[in-house]
């Protein structure tokens, strides 16, 4: 089962775990760990920056999904 924080990321980006790992320059194993346990705050910040997603939204599902300055990256 995919942790809800990562499910939000997959739904928003339509990217595979490998594509997300490549986008934030991390190992695919980190993505797999986040799928099982939930994303770290640092990971959420990296993914938020790479894809224009709000860190608060990634972590809680609340608020606005995207950050206005980066919406064009999705």
């Amino acid at each position: 089962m995919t942790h809800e924080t990562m499910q939000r990321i997959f739904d928003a980006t339509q990217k595979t775990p490998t594509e997300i790992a490549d986008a934030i320059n991390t190992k695919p194993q980190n993505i797999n760990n986040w799928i099982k346990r939930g994303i770290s705050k640092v990971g959420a910040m990296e993914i938020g920056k790479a894809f224009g997603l709000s860190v608060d939204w990634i972590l809680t599902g609340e608020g606005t999904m995207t950050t206005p300055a980066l919406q064009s990256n999705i």
Side-chain angles (χ1 to χ4, degrees):
M1 184 172 176
T2 301
H3 191 276
E4 63 187 30
T5 54
M6 288 304 296
Q7 190 61 57
R8 279 192 280 278
I9 292 165
F10 292 136
D11 291 346
T13 64
Q14 297 297 302
K15 303 289 185 190
T16 67
T18 300
E19 290 170 327
I20 291 172
D22 290 345
I24 64 169
N25 197 29
T26 194
K27 296 176 184 174
Q29 184 59 42
N30 288 336
I31 304 300
N32 290 332
N33 289 340
W34 295 341
I35 289 170
K36 294 174 190 168
R37 299 182 196 123
I39 193 168
S40 67
K41 186 165 186 176
V42 170
M45 291 179 356
E46 291 173 1
I47 287 176
K49 183 177 178 183
F51 295 103
L53 300 174
S54 162
V55 173
D56 288 337
W57 179 82
I58 291 170
L59 295 173
T60 68
E62 297 177 5
T64 305
M65 178 177 77
T66 56
T67 55
L70 300 173
Q71 287 180 3
S72 62
N73 290 349
I74 294 179

